[in-house]
Each structure stands twice: as C-alpha cells, then as structure tokens.
Amino acid sequence: HVALPYSPGAQHHVREFYGALLGLEELPIPDAFDDRALVWFAAGTGELHLIPEPSSARASRSDRHVCLSVDRVEETLERLEAADYHIERYDLLPERPQAFVHDPFGNLVELTRPAP
C-alpha cells in the first residue's frame, strides 16, 4: 500500500479527488484505525491510504508521489481538466498514456493505463 498526507478535516476533498474524479473505490477502515480519520481506496492490487497530517509536518510537494493505473485514462483526465486541475501529459511509453497532476494537498499523482 501507499500512504499520502492530506490536510486534517478535508476528507470531503480526498473523496472528491480520489473517488469522484479518479474513480477509485473507497474501502472500509478497520476498527483499529477508526479514530485516525484515514481514508483508504483500492488501487490496482494494493491500497492507497490518505492520512491526515498538518501541513507543517508534510514533506515538500516533490517528495510525495503516487503512480496510479486507471482503466479509462482519457476520461479521467477530462474530468480533472473540467474541475480546473492542471495536467502534464507525457508520451514516453508507446501505447501507454501517462499524465501528472497535483492533488488538492500537493501530492504528485501519476496516472497511466494498465500495461497490456
């Protein structure tokens, strides 16, 4: 699994970006973590954990990175652009689109399509 920080109290922004815009499925949190305000998503064969962390404790923007494989990359990028997110597209791998976007908390999210 991968963990990224988000601003405490901003779970609705986490769910909007990772759930609604990126289309990830939110997972239930085990009871042992219920009091920590974590938000978890299924991400491929693993999980993406969003953890509340004050901005003063977070590393710089370039230090936080996650690579996510999404089935419908172009549709996902269109949703992000319609929501006014800046997308950086790269065509480094033939037949495999790749793009980068910053989430609302400064984490760099790499989006690509699953390998054939």
Side-chain angles (χ1 to χ4, degrees):
H1 68 269
V2 173
L4 293 175
Y6 76 89
S7 303
Q11 291 93 323
H12 62 288
H13 291 302
V14 169
R15 289 181 173 102
E16 173 67 22
F17 184 84
Y18 288 96
L21 293 175
L22 298 188
L24 300 182
E25 174 191 356
E26 187 170 353
L27 299 173
I29 303 296
D31 291 341
F33 297 107
D34 195 38
D35 63 339
R36 298 211 34 223
L38 304 175
V39 184
W40 291 5
F41 293 95
T45 58
E47 295 178 2
L48 175 62
H49 298 180
L50 281 293
I51 300 171
E53 188 175 274
S55 60
S56 61
R58 281 187 237 150
S60 70
R61 172 177 272 186
S62 63
D63 290 337
R64 303 294 188 155
H65 173 94
V66 64
C67 182
L68 297 175
S69 180
V70 294
D71 290 329
R72 297 183 177 124
V73 174
E74 287 305 318
E75 289 177 26
T76 301
L77 296 178
E78 287 173 12
R79 283 194 304 273
L80 287 165
E81 288 172 334
D84 291 328
Y85 282 92
H86 173 71
I87 308 293
E88 292 182 40
R89 296 172 185 259
Y90 290 89
D91 296 321
L92 300 176
L93 302 172
E95 305 296 321
R96 194 163 178 206
Q98 181 183 27
F100 295 88
V101 62
H102 285 99
D103 75 4
F105 315 104
N107 301 305
L108 182 61
V109 179
E110 178 181 348
L111 299 170
T112 188
R113 186 178 65 224

